[in-house]
Amino acid sequence: MRLKDKVILITASTRGIGLATVKACAKEGAKVYMAARNLGLAKKEADRLISEGHKVKYVYNDASKPKSYITMTEDVIKDAGRIDVLVNNFGTSNPKKDLDFSNTDIDAFLDTVNINLRSVFMSSKEAVKYMAKRGGGSIINISSVGGLVPDISQVAYGTSKAAINYLTKLIAVHEAKNNIRCNAVLPGMTATDAVEKNLTDEFRQLFLRHIPLKRMGLPEEIAKTVVYFASDESAYATGQILTVSGGFGLATPVYGDLSDKMSRR
């Protein structure tokens, strides 16, 4: 029960990494608030966890509506009186228009960077006001290894995640005076519905060649890292940009080719 009685707010929490994080935090004793646009789906997932004996509620948040970041936070404060941990999990991209540098649609680029950055900046800004009054807290941003290593596509998504990595460090430095920590978790290729929907089998297999652990990550594995940053076990860790990617990006750029040759010997 590493998160016993902590109040945790998690955005984009009805599927994938977000839902896995809700479950992991609830099982560690936290009171979890699921922030979601689809309240029907949030209620369904919350009810399931409540039936298992966990403390889970839901609040409305639409990433495209700036005011909902304010009301989302206020709803948690009205109900629980505080926010101990904020997990900024929201992130989106437009695979059909977010291509390489020359071919990415300009409006799609600006829209993606805007909404992804806003989701972290606004929710953090609101949560910090209440965390500071209570003597501290923890903010955890779900970024991406794509924010560290330039890809051949998804220019807007990668740029937004790189900016979130910087913003993570900035919040950590600026809010240390209020005992508020801020860290980022950078998943690599993770077995979520979004990956299944947006990436072809051919691309997934090509990508896996460059992951030393030779597999995709699981949402539950990302969630366990979030639990660490949410818990007092990481009380002296702030401003950290932690990749959870199976070793992707560590090896020589020709790792995949060399690994294939060695395995055939």
Side-chain angles (χ1 to χ4, degrees):
M1 304 294 281
R2 291 179 290 169
L3 304 178
K4 184 174 174 58
D5 297 329
K6 287 185 182 291
V7 175
I8 300 181
L9 172 61
I10 304 171
T11 65
S13 53
T14 57
R15 60 182 182 177
I17 292 171
L19 181 57
T21 301
V22 169
K23 293 176 180 179
C25 291
K27 290 175 182 178
E28 289 289 348
K31 184 176 185 179
V32 182
Y33 286 81
M34 302 176 65
R37 182 176 60 180
N38 187 335
L39 291 183
L41 183 55
K43 181 180 185 303
K44 179 181 177 181
E45 296 295 348
D47 287 347
R48 182 179 297 139
L49 287 165
I50 290 170
S51 70
E52 297 173 0
H54 303 302
K55 301 173 184 177
V56 181
K57 293 189 174 184
Y58 51 91
V59 293
Y60 178 74
N61 174 246
D62 184 338
S64 67
K65 298 178 180 178
K67 286 187 179 179
S68 76
Y69 290 103
I70 299 173
T71 57
M72 167 188 75
T73 309
E74 289 177 343
D75 287 345
V76 177
I77 294 299
K78 288 176 184 177
D79 191 67
R82 69 183 196 276
I83 297 175
D84 299 310
V85 179
L86 168 66
V87 181
N88 287 313
N89 177 61
F90 176 83
T92 188
S93 65
N94 186 340
K96 294 182 179 179
K97 295 184 177 181
D98 191 5
L99 307 171
D100 64 340
F101 181 74
S102 297
N103 295 301
T104 290
D105 180 83
I106 294 175
D107 289 335
F109 177 89
L110 295 175
D111 289 345
T112 298
V113 171
N114 179 36
I115 196 169
N116 284 350
L117 269 178
R118 183 172 65 200
S119 70
V120 173
F121 183 81
M122 289 198 67
S123 55
S124 298
K125 194 173 179 65
E126 290 302 311
V128 158
K129 294 190 298 187
Y130 299 102
M131 288 179 176
K133 291 178 182 179
R134 291 190 57 86
S138 175
I139 297 173
I140 303 148
N141 298 324
I142 307 301
S143 180
S144 169
V145 71
L148 293 179
V149 183
D151 203 345
I152 60 173
S153 63
Q154 290 198 303
V155 171
Y157 182 79
T159 299
S160 71
K161 293 299 186 177
I164 287 170
N165 294 343
Y166 172 85
L167 188 57
T168 297
K169 294 180 181 181
L170 184 143
I171 294 171
V173 171
H174 285 213
E175 295 304 321
K177 63 182 181 295
N178 292 314
N179 194 35
I180 296 171
R181 300 182 295 112
C182 186
N183 296 285
V185 177
L186 282 59
M189 182 180 283
T190 307
T192 63
D193 292 340
V195 167
E196 293 293 329
K197 182 190 301 183
N198 295 320
L199 301 180
T200 65
D201 288 338
E202 182 182 6
F203 180 85
R204 284 196 291 269
Q205 292 305 315
L206 178 63
F207 200 95
L208 287 171
R209 291 178 60 233
H210 298 279
I211 300 177
L213 289 183
K214 298 298 183 185
R215 65 175 178 85
M216 287 193 285
L218 300 176
E220 293 77 12
E221 292 171 321
I222 310 302
K224 289 176 182 178
T225 309
V226 175
V227 167
Y228 165 71
F229 279 130
S231 75
D232 293 337
E233 293 174 2
S234 61
Y236 201 51
T238 193
Q240 297 305 298
I241 309 298
L242 180 61
T243 59
V244 186
S245 61
F248 177 78
L250 292 177
T252 169
V254 294
Y255 169 81
D257 293 334
L258 295 176
S259 179
D260 287 347
K261 289 181 180 179
M262 292 178 67
S263 65
R264 289 195 294 266
R265 290 179 180 176

